[in-house]
Amino acid sequence: MKRARLFLLVLAIAAAVVLSACGAESTDSDDTTKSSESGDKGNATDKQAGTNETTPGTNETTPGADEPTPTASVSINATAKGSVFTDYNGKTVDEIVENIQKIRTIDKDDTMENYGERFDYAPDTPSIEKQFTHNATYYWQSGKDGATEYVPLITIHCRTGEDDKFQLDEGSSASIMIEFKDKETAMAVYDRVCALLQAEHGEIKDDGTFEPWNPIDNRDDESWQTVYGARHIGLHWPSETNDHYEMYTMINLRAATK
C-alpha cells in the first residue's frame, strides 16, 4: 500500500515540476514573470537562507510577522558521504532543518547516480530520467535500523551535463517528504522551512534591501499548505491510511561553495 502511495506521489511531483517549468517559460503574464524571477533570486539568495536556522522557537515565518531578510553571503559546505541521517526519531528541529539543507546542497561532482551516497542508510535503487523530466527519485521503506520517522521519498529535479554532473539553474529543486510522529516537531519544522522558502522568494530592491513576496498560506486543522511561487510546503495530519504527520516540500537546490 505504501509503495502504491509513493508511486502516486512521484507522479504528482513529476506533474508539478512539468507545470512549473511550463509556467517559467511563459512571459505572457505578470504572475509567471514573478515566478521566473523568484527562481533567479532564489539562486542568488539561497546561500543566505542559513541565517534563519539559528533562532528556533520564534514566529518569524508566520505570514504577517517580520519576515527574514537575507544578509551577506556565507560559505556552504559540500554534503559529505554518509552525513545525512535517515532516522528522524528524537532529532531536534535544528538538526532536522540542517539535514534538509544538506539534502538540497549540490557539490560540483554530484550526479544522479552518486547523490544517494550522502545518506547514512542507502535508498532503494533510484528512478532516474535525464532527458525529459530531469528527475531522480530516491525511496526508503524506513529509516536506518527500521526507524518509523524518516524520509520515504526525495526527488531531485535538475538538468545534467554530458559528464552526468548536475547543472543547477533557476528550475532546479528538491522535493522532500518527511514522516513525523510528533505534532509539535512537525509544525516547528514546517515554520522553519517556510522561512527558508520565504528568504528565496522575493526581489533585491534598488537600495540593496531584500523585499519578500507574500506567500499563499492556508492552514486548516488537518492540512496546511504554503505556496511561494513555484515552491511550496504542506503538512497533513494522520489519517486512516497514514498514522504519521506527513510533511512535503519543494525547495530550491543550492550549490556548495567549498
Side-chain angles (χ1 to χ4, degrees):
M1 179 65 73
K2 174 163 283 191
R3 282 236 179 224
R5 184 163 59 83
L6 290 178
F7 179 72
L8 291 174
L9 179 65
V10 172
L11 293 179
I13 290 172
V17 168
V18 170
L19 288 174
S20 65
C22 290
E25 293 174 359
S26 172
T27 57
D28 293 337
S29 68
D30 291 340
D31 290 341
T32 303
T33 301
K34 281 192 173 183
S35 293
S36 178
E37 289 176 351
S38 70
D40 294 336
K41 299 303 187 296
N43 283 339
T45 60
D46 55 8
K47 299 175 185 178
Q48 297 118 5
T51 58
N52 299 308
E53 298 175 9
T54 57
T55 53
T58 67
N59 197 34
E60 64 184 9
T61 63
T62 303
D66 291 338
E67 300 292 356
T69 301
T71 54
S73 296
V74 295
S75 296
I76 299 175
N77 291 322
T79 301
K81 291 182 179 181
S83 66
V84 179
F85 59 76
T86 53
D87 179 358
Y88 282 62
N89 182 53
K91 296 296 192 296
T92 67
V93 173
D94 282 347
E95 289 172 329
I96 294 171
V97 173
E98 176 59 25
N99 215 48
I100 292 172
Q101 293 282 51
K102 289 181 178 180
I103 288 172
R104 73 180 183 124
T105 299
I106 301 298
D107 189 33
K108 59 181 176 63
D109 294 323
D110 285 339
T111 66
M112 289 183 175
E113 289 78 11
N114 68 26
Y115 175 84
E117 296 176 1
R118 69 186 57 205
F119 299 97
D120 62 359
Y121 181 59
D124 294 342
T125 302
S127 172
I128 294 176
E129 201 292 305
K130 298 180 180 180
Q131 185 175 0
F132 300 106
T133 62
H134 311 287
N135 282 346
T137 302
Y138 308 85
Y139 309 86
W140 288 262
Q141 287 296 316
S142 70
K144 190 176 182 180
D145 298 325
T148 57
E149 292 189 90
Y150 66 105
V151 174
L153 180 70
I154 295 173
T155 295
I156 300 299
H157 173 71
C158 186
R159 295 180 182 275
T160 57
E162 293 182 358
D163 57 0
D164 287 331
K165 295 177 182 179
F166 288 116
Q167 294 184 331
L168 271 63
D169 58 26
E170 65 271 15
S172 304
S173 66
S175 294
I176 306 167
M177 176 185 285
I178 304 176
E179 303 275 8
F180 292 101
K181 285 289 191 179
D182 183 71
K183 177 181 178 181
E184 298 302 320
T185 300
M187 292 192 299
V189 172
Y190 185 99
D191 279 340
R192 293 281 295 280
V193 175
C194 276
L196 297 179
L197 293 171
Q198 179 72 82
E200 298 171 5
H201 185 73
E203 59 185 338
I204 305 295
K205 299 174 67 176
D206 291 340
D207 61 2
T209 60
F210 179 80
E211 181 177 352
W213 297 326
N214 291 328
I216 299 171
D217 189 76
N218 296 306
R219 303 198 186 193
D220 297 329
D221 291 341
E222 297 184 355
S223 181
W224 291 5
Q225 186 174 41
T226 309
V227 179
Y228 300 84
R231 303 293 178 253
H232 60 267
I233 182 171
L235 179 64
H236 294 313
W237 266 233
S239 65
E240 293 181 358
T241 58
N242 182 30
D243 61 355
H244 289 76
Y245 292 90
E246 190 173 79
M247 193 193 84
Y248 60 89
T249 184
M250 179 184 282
I251 190 169
N252 288 334
L253 295 181
R254 62 177 191 170
T257 59
K258 65 176 183 178

